[in-house]
Amino acid sequence: MVAVHASAHSVASSEWIICLDKRPAERSGEDVDIILARLKGVKAFEKFHPNLLQQICMCGFYEYLEKGITLYRQGDIGTSWYAVLSGSLDVKVSETANHQDAVTICTLGVGTAFGESILDNTPRHATIVSRENSELLRIEQREFKTLWEKYRQCMAGLLAPPYGAVQECFSVPRSQLPLSLSRILLQVPSEKILRAEKGLRNAILARAPHMIRDRKYHLKTYRQCCVGTELVDWLLQQSSCVHSRAHAVGMWQVLLEEGVLNHVDHELNFQDKYLFYRFLDDEEEDAVLPSDDDKHEAEEELQETLLILSQIGPDALMRMILRKPPGQRTAEDLEIIYDELLHIKALSHLSNTVSWLSHVLCVFAFYISVFNQGEEGTSWYIIQKGSVNVVIYGKGVVCTLHEGDDFGKLALVNDAPRAASIVLREDNCHFLRVDKEDFNRILRDVEANTVRLKEHDQDVLVLQKSLRPSSHGNIPAHFKYTVMSGSPEKILEHLLETMRLDIHFFDPALDDFVLMHCVFMPISQLCPALLRVCTYHSQASQGSEQERLDYSVASKRRVLSLALRWATLQGHHLLEDDTALSFVGVRSIHKHTHAGIESLTTSLHRDLIHKVLLRQFSSGEERLAKKQPIRSFDDILLKVYCSDHTYTTLRVPVLATGREVTAAVADKLGSTEELLLINLSASGEKQILKPNDVSVFQSLGVNGRLFACSREQLDSLNPLAEQEGPSTGSMSSFELMSSKDLACQMTQYDWELFSCVHEYELVYHTFGRQAYRRSTANLELFLKRFNQVQLWVVTEVCLCGTLSKRVQLLKKFIKIAAHCREFKNLNSFFAIIMGMCNPAVSRLSQTWERLIANTIRAVRHCRSQLFNAEVSPASKNPQEVRNYVRQLNVIDNQRTLSQLSFILEPRRS
């Protein structure tokens, strides 16, 4: 080992270093206190018990390494354990004894520890070289073993090396620890979670101080504890964002994993039982109670804290379930795992196999590497969180894998050593793991029910066989085959061959293909393929003439049935593609017209003519005004503003790109400058739209506007005055309107918007409309309406300056939401609820305190009523109500809404 001692370095005069230079027997109590003050600032030691830290201060030594110094080499027998106090060190691994071919697999930073191979005297698994000038804390082998035996549980979090020394200590594979240990013992809590713990503790002490108290159990006193069931009950009472007891358990599990909430016996899973838990702030015997100001602040921020925890709680619940042994997982646990696995990219092609994986998956965390090249393959891994590098000796990093990717299958399938090393790129990576035995069993089951069609040694169609039970007792069950993957042509061929010729029979596989073919087989590829099917079967040479004719007619009937269903589901989208229009009229489809296909041909042409007439005799503005679907070939009027807030009006196609809009603006203004197209929100946020973006108007928010300017004018762009929204509320207008009238008109308007949304828009929205050059204008209008209603609630409340009127306003919104629920309009119902949950509204404690229980009972009563869609309430002024709900004026700026909220009810002093 080559090192430079601290006394030779210029920083040797530092007081704590001088203390560490003394022999342990010569260190005084004052020396230990000085060293302790320094080590408390190291994250790796923050959660150590004071007694353990004091022992480290008594036996630790200081080491200083200049840049490029080798601390020890791979294969050396270790004599010390190290923790990094400052600087960083490279970890290098060599496949051979030659250190020249060593590859850097990672870097150790401040707070990391290494060298615990001294626990079992195994050789060092890597070479450690200082990347920069670095300070280390060193503990010699004898003292470290003594500390380990005495404080094993507390120190476990530091023992996660990349080289396998932990294997004997924890009985787990090389370099990995169960996620329970990784998060609780190694990971330092984030500032966000620390703040959440403090806020929840203070809120409990403010609202239910009896929950945190000394408790006795089996003659033992547990100081300042909460009970698990009480914590769950309390969360459910505080916010509507906590949906169930399982959801609440996941939220508390977040705090438990971060180490800011601890079980008194250090259990790793939060349980909804009579078990004792203690907040981090109560761990010390002289814990400080929060002041009144702290309690008030915690209550004001409680909803925001709960919202954050409610979003990350399900992930913690998932990890907790995956830590259970497979035999202990309940049916509810398996359902939660199954729902999560359906969204993982690596499992997207496994279909029914995912349910089997729910039983055997485990979750693990790693610190440096997952496995090394040349090791035996024992598991298959899926990245749940984080990313890794794939490292091959002599080549370095060859690729990077991210969340949803998998690795490790090759060694299991071929029963061969690992072909590469997997090294973490970031901290706190989580992995799902399937062990080799389970992997092979599931693989055998999958292959036994898989049918593969090969051409030139390549899979062109993969089908999964499953048993379909019969709906009739006298008919035996039979197998059905589901397409798992394949080439587009073979998938189409299989669909046509298995299609039933009964036009009145609903075939879900046909509908799935018609709706989703654009993802894998665009119209430009589908139409020629269908045409080839007709042509090929028309030229069939086997069988008698009548058999060939019957076969040809049956093939054409299948193609025409698909085309008719396609035209029916496509709607106006059929008219957007010239290839589709020309395909419907080609002669080869209708050649040798037969009585069996004449009716199909007639239906197809009738449907097509109807769509063409609609295209010719209605304009984009007329359809928008009548709330008819906006089509890609329609024109719209678009206002584009300049930096001086003047504007120009353009008539452009719905699918107009950013380049086309800027060119039209430049042409109309006579400008020769290169213009940028900007989406400017009400809060002043600027989004530069790309030249190739289609339907640029769809990117606008509720109060967003399009601007065109040069790059030099970009920084000077400011929102229009009209974007700021109203300065006074409209309560005086709509308080005279019946809540039921308002809800009815809102439902009618929402239904008009919803009925304009085509199924294809959901596909384009999911997979990216830019990739398909298609418009999702109707869907965007429907989504924008939800945001508008939500902001309407917040705007009206924050612009109501009188407390009593504000209380009445909230009551009215609650009634409107209840009636929307009665009308089964969940869109507006949840928009209103989310508006009232907005921090600018939920923090108005004085207002909420005035709401009486009768209002809550009224909501429950309305929810219990059955909905009759045909009964529309009689209204004195239906047109006024109709106009109001369709032209809501809102403030689309959370900062402005929050400022108005604090004007209404300032922070309590």
Side-chain angles (χ1 to χ4, degrees), residues 312-324:
I312 57 181
D315 288 338
L317 180 64
M318 172 77 169
R319 292 191 293 269
M320 185 174 71
I321 293 171
L322 288 172
R323 283 197 294 270
K324 293 182 182 180

Side-chain angles (χ1 to χ4, degrees), residues 1-4 6 16-17 20-21 38-39 42 45 56 60-66 69-72 80-90 108-114 128-139:
M1 180 179 72
V2 180
V4 181
W16 72 278
I17 298 177
L20 274 177
D21 270 345
R38 171 66 177 91
L39 295 187
V42 179
F45 301 139
I56 291 175
F61 291 93
Y62 176 83
E63 292 284 349
Y64 176 81
L65 301 181
E66 291 183 341
I69 297 297
T70 300
L71 181 63
Y72 57 71
S80 300
W81 173 85
Y82 302 89
V84 183
L85 302 179
S86 71
S88 59
L89 302 98
D90 286 333
L108 303 174
V110 176
T112 56
F114 58 95
I128 305 295
V129 180
S130 56
R131 187 183 185 89
E132 56 187 310
N133 295 346
S134 304
E135 294 177 297
L136 309 177
L137 176 74
R138 176 174 62 85
I139 299 178

Side-chain angles (χ1 to χ4, degrees), residues 86-151:
S86 71
S88 59
L89 302 98
D90 286 333
V91 179
K92 299 188 175 186
V93 177
S94 172
E95 187 179 15
T96 65
N98 183 6
H99 301 296
Q100 301 299 320
D101 64 355
V103 176
T104 300
I105 63 170
C106 67
T107 299
L108 303 174
V110 176
T112 56
F114 58 95
E116 54 275 12
S117 61
I118 58 175
L119 286 172
D120 52 9
N121 295 315
T122 56
R124 300 295 196 187
H125 295 81
T127 300
I128 305 295
V129 180
S130 56
R131 187 183 185 89
E132 56 187 310
N133 295 346
S134 304
E135 294 177 297
L136 309 177
L137 176 74
R138 176 174 62 85
I139 299 178
E140 294 182 348
Q141 184 179 33
R142 185 180 63 182
E143 284 75 16
F144 185 77
K145 283 187 173 182
T146 302
L147 292 176
W148 170 250
E149 291 300 325
K150 189 173 181 180
Y151 299 100

Side-chain angles (χ1 to χ4, degrees), residues 378-657:
T378 58
S379 301
W380 170 45
Y381 298 93
I382 302 166
I383 304 174
Q384 188 187 29
K385 178 183 177 183
S387 58
V388 299
N389 284 331
V390 180
V391 180
I392 296 178
Y393 290 125
K395 295 182 179 179
V397 177
V398 295
C399 68
T400 299
L401 304 176
H402 300 275
E403 183 176 317
D405 292 329
D406 68 301
F407 55 89
K409 283 190 295 189
L410 190 63
L412 302 186
V413 173
N414 298 333
D415 199 21
R418 298 295 192 187
S421 299
I422 302 294
V423 181
L424 271 61
R425 294 182 69 244
E426 53 191 286
D427 295 333
N428 193 24
C429 292
H430 300 165
F431 301 87
L432 302 177
R433 192 190 77 187
V434 179
D435 290 332
K436 185 175 183 178
E437 181 181 349
D438 295 319
F439 178 86
N440 289 335
R441 175 173 56 82
I442 293 173
L443 190 64
R444 285 195 301 269
D445 293 341
V446 171
E447 287 301 319
N449 293 296
T450 300
V451 178
R452 300 177 184 274
L453 176 64
K454 293 180 177 289
E455 289 182 359
H456 306 294
D457 294 328
Q458 297 291 325
D459 288 340
V460 293
L461 186 65
V462 179
L463 305 175
Q464 186 179 62
K465 182 174 67 174
S466 59
L467 189 65
R468 174 187 287 175
S470 174
S471 57
H472 303 285
N474 57 343
I475 300 177
H478 61 283
F479 288 104
K480 75 167 188 175
Y481 293 86
T482 305
V483 175
M484 302 302 298
S485 63
S487 65
E489 291 78 8
K490 288 300 178 183
I491 293 175
L492 175 62
E493 184 179 319
H494 173 76
L495 177 69
L496 292 173
E497 287 178 355
T498 57
M499 181 190 299
R500 289 185 53 169
L501 294 178
D502 181 3
I503 62 173
H504 301 293
F505 175 75
F506 172 71
D507 187 352
L510 176 59
D511 272 24
D512 290 345
F513 180 87
V514 169
L515 284 173
M516 299 299 297
H517 75 83
C518 58
V519 177
F520 59 90
M521 194 176 194
I523 291 177
S524 59
Q525 187 179 354
L526 173 63
C527 292
L530 288 172
L531 203 55
R532 283 195 297 271
V533 171
C534 293
T535 306
Y536 174 77
H537 290 306
S538 298
Q539 299 172 355
S541 58
Q542 295 181 352
S544 65
E545 183 178 350
Q546 184 60 41
E547 288 174 340
R548 293 199 302 270
L549 178 61
D550 291 343
Y551 187 68
S552 175
V553 169
S555 299
K556 289 184 177 180
R557 283 192 65 186
R558 290 188 174 93
V559 171
L560 283 170
S561 295
L562 186 148
L564 181 59
R565 188 61 183 156
W566 180 40
T568 303
L569 289 181
Q570 278 256 353
H572 59 78
H573 289 269
L574 186 68
L575 306 178
E576 298 172 10
D577 196 292
D578 293 336
T579 305
L581 287 174
S582 60
F583 165 74
V584 174
V586 293
R587 295 184 58 189
S588 56
I589 296 182
H590 314 292
K591 189 178 181 182
H592 305 301
T593 302
H594 189 275
I597 64 173
E598 187 175 352
S599 61
L600 290 174
T601 307
T602 304
S603 298
L604 185 61
H605 282 169
R606 184 173 60 245
D607 192 63
L608 179 65
I609 291 170
H610 176 67
K611 290 175 171 55
V612 172
L613 289 175
L614 283 178
R615 175 174 182 172
Q616 291 176 346
F617 295 106
S618 60
S619 66
E621 286 74 24
E622 290 174 353
R623 302 181 67 81
L624 189 60
K626 295 177 182 178
K627 289 299 172 286
Q628 294 178 349
I630 302 173
R631 303 164 304 186
S632 295
F633 48 75
D634 288 333
D635 289 340
I636 60 167
L637 293 176
L638 196 62
K639 277 187 178 181
V640 181
Y641 292 83
C642 300
S643 58
D644 59 359
H645 289 188
T646 58
Y647 68 87
T648 181
T649 305
L650 307 172
R651 178 181 288 275
V652 295
V654 168
L655 285 176
T657 64

Side-chain angles (χ1 to χ4, degrees), residues 771-790:
Y772 298 98
R773 318 299 290 174
R774 288 288 189 267
S775 171
T776 57
N778 301 292
L779 179 60
E780 296 296 338
L781 283 177
F782 185 64
L783 297 176
K784 190 180 293 184
R785 173 65 178 181
F786 182 92
N787 296 333
Q788 186 184 37
V789 172
Q790 180 182 343

